[in-house]
Amino acid sequence: MADNGAVVFKDVSFAYGNNLVLDNVEFSIPEGDFVALMGPNGGGKTTLLKLCVGLLRPQRGTVQVFGKDPAEVRSMIGYVPQETNPNAHFPVRVIDVVMMGLLPDRIRHGKAQKKKVQKILDRMGLLDLENRKISELSGGQRQKVMIARALVSDPKILFLDEPTASVDRAFHTELYEMLRELNSRITIVVVSHDMSVLSSYVKSVACVNRRVVYHSRAEITPGMIDALYHCPVELVAHGIPHRVLREH
Ligand SMILES: Nc1ncnc2c1ncn2[C@@H]1O[C@H](COP(=O)(O)OP(=O)(O)OP(=O)(O)O)[C@@H](O)[C@H]1O
C-alpha cells in the first residue's frame, strides 16, 4: 500500500474561489483507525471529507485513499454526508435508499443485490421498516438508513459528517457502539463536535482549521478533550491561529 495509510494528504491546498480553506495540509490516517475530525465552524472539516471521497479535488497536492486517487477506489469508500433532510413528499422507501448504495451493481444483479440490502437492513435493525417511506422515519432511523446505504457496498473505509447532529442523545451511544463494532473491520473517519461521547470511542483526533494536526490516542488527554469540547481551541493550538467554536 503506497505511503502506508488509509488516507494520505500531501501538501494539499483547497480554496472555494478566493477563500483558502485548506492550506498545505499534510497528514495521514492509518488503516484501522477510528479518527474524529474536530475544529471550529468553518475550519474545513466537511471540505476535507469531500476531498477524501473524491467529491472535490485539491488545487494543489494529492489526496490518496488506500494509495490511490479516491475516484479509483470509490467502491472501497462509504460516505454519510452531513444532514439528510428529504422532502417529506418524496415517496422513496427505505429499501430504495439503501439500494442506491449499490446502484451500478443493481442493474446487473437485481435479486442478489436485494438480498444484500436486506441483510444490512437486518443488521441495522431496520428490516421491518424496509417499505416505509424515508420521510416517515425518525431522525435516528433516517441516519441509520444513510449509514446502511454507505455500508451496503462493503467499504473498507467509512466517512461520516456530523452523524449525530440531528438526532437525540439516546441515539449517540447506539451509533458509536455500532461504529466501534464496525471499526474491528474497517477504518472510520467521523466529523463531530461531540467529544464528550466520542472520546471513549475514538483512537485518534485530528484538529482541522485550515491545517490539520493529527493526535494519536496517547496524546488525547482529558484536558485536550475539555479544551476541544468547551471551545477554546487555542488551548490545543499548534502555532495555528484557531478560532473559537460556537456555543453548542
Ligand atoms: N460549496 C461552497 N462554496 C463556497 N464556500 C464554501 C462551500 N462550502 C463551504 N464553504 C466555505 O468553506 C469554509 C469551510 O467550510 P466547511 O463546511 O468545510 O467547514 P466545517 O469545518 O465543516 O464547518 P462546520 O463545523 O460549521 O460544519 C467556510 O468558510 C465555508 O463558508
Side-chain angles (χ1 to χ4, degrees), residues 16 19 21 39-48 50 82 161-162 191 193 208 243 245-246:
Y16 296 102
N19 182 11
V21 175
N41 294 121
K45 301 177 294 298
T46 295
T47 302
L48 188 128
K50 287 182 175 173
Q82 197 172 12
D161 198 347
E162 300 209 34
V191 171
H193 292 299
V208 182
R243 273 173 283 152
L245 288 167
R246 268 190 230 129

Side-chain angles (χ1 to χ4, degrees), residues 84-129:
T84 42
N85 201 0
N87 180 335
H89 304 291
F90 194 61
V92 64
R93 297 170 306 160
V94 167
I95 192 162
D96 301 322
V97 171
V98 179
M99 198 70 105
M100 285 172 200
L102 289 172
L103 215 47
D105 282 353
R106 182 192 179 190
I107 292 158
R108 280 183 275 137
H109 326 275
K111 261 191 194 160
Q113 298 312 314
K114 188 170 178 187
K115 257 195 176 164
K116 199 169 183 180
V117 168
Q118 285 175 324
K119 195 169 154 199
I120 190 108
L121 286 175
D122 195 22
R123 208 169 95 204
M124 308 271 303
L126 293 167
L127 194 54
D128 54 338
L129 298 176

Side-chain angles (χ1 to χ4, degrees), residues 35-242:
V35 57
L37 304 185
M38 315 276 309
N41 294 121
K45 301 177 294 298
T46 295
T47 302
L48 188 128
L49 228 55
K50 287 182 175 173
L51 287 164
C52 291
V53 302
L55 285 175
L56 295 174
R57 301 188 74 82
Q59 282 97 4
R60 215 181 71 194
T62 56
V63 177
Q64 290 197 323
V65 177
F66 297 119
K68 300 225 163 99
D69 187 288
E72 288 176 54
V73 287
R74 196 153 281 163
S75 63
M76 295 167 88
I77 295 175
Y79 176 47
V80 181
Q82 197 172 12
E83 225 181 82
T84 42
N85 201 0
N87 180 335
H89 304 291
F90 194 61
V92 64
R93 297 170 306 160
V94 167
I95 192 162
D96 301 322
V97 171
V98 179
M99 198 70 105
M100 285 172 200
L102 289 172
L103 215 47
D105 282 353
R106 182 192 179 190
I107 292 158
R108 280 183 275 137
H109 326 275
K111 261 191 194 160
Q113 298 312 314
K114 188 170 178 187
K115 257 195 176 164
K116 199 169 183 180
V117 168
Q118 285 175 324
K119 195 169 154 199
I120 190 108
L121 286 175
D122 195 22
R123 208 169 95 204
M124 308 271 303
L126 293 167
L127 194 54
D128 54 338
L129 298 176
E130 69 173 327
N131 290 313
R132 184 86 69 85
K133 282 189 204 139
I134 187 87
S135 54
E136 293 168 1
L137 303 182
S138 70
Q141 287 168 331
R142 199 150 53 221
Q143 194 60 278
K144 276 192 190 175
V145 172
M146 300 320 287
I147 295 168
R149 182 177 72 163
L151 290 177
V152 72
S153 58
D154 292 326
K156 299 280 172 287
I157 186 164
L158 179 64
F159 296 93
L160 303 105
D161 198 347
E162 300 209 34
T164 54
S166 57
V167 296
D168 61 41
R169 277 209 91 70
F171 179 67
H172 293 199
T173 311
E174 189 185 338
L175 175 78
Y176 286 117
E177 285 295 340
M178 198 178 78
L179 294 181
R180 181 174 11 221
E181 196 273 317
L182 275 170
N183 182 230
S184 62
R185 299 187 298 282
I186 69 175
T187 308
I188 296 191
V189 182
V190 58
V191 171
S192 179
H193 292 299
D194 192 4
M195 205 53 199
S196 64
V197 178
L198 259 182
S199 60
S200 45
Y201 294 92
V202 295
K203 295 175 177 165
S204 52
V205 169
C207 299
V208 182
N209 191 12
R210 231 167 133 171
R211 298 201 178 211
V212 175
V213 181
Y214 178 93
H215 303 263
S216 68
R217 170 111 231 165
E219 297 165 54
I220 306 172
T221 62
M224 174 187 161
I225 288 164
D226 203 46
L228 279 164
Y229 190 59
H230 290 107
C231 304
V233 180
E234 281 90 343
L235 291 182
V236 289
H238 318 272
I240 303 161
H242 284 258

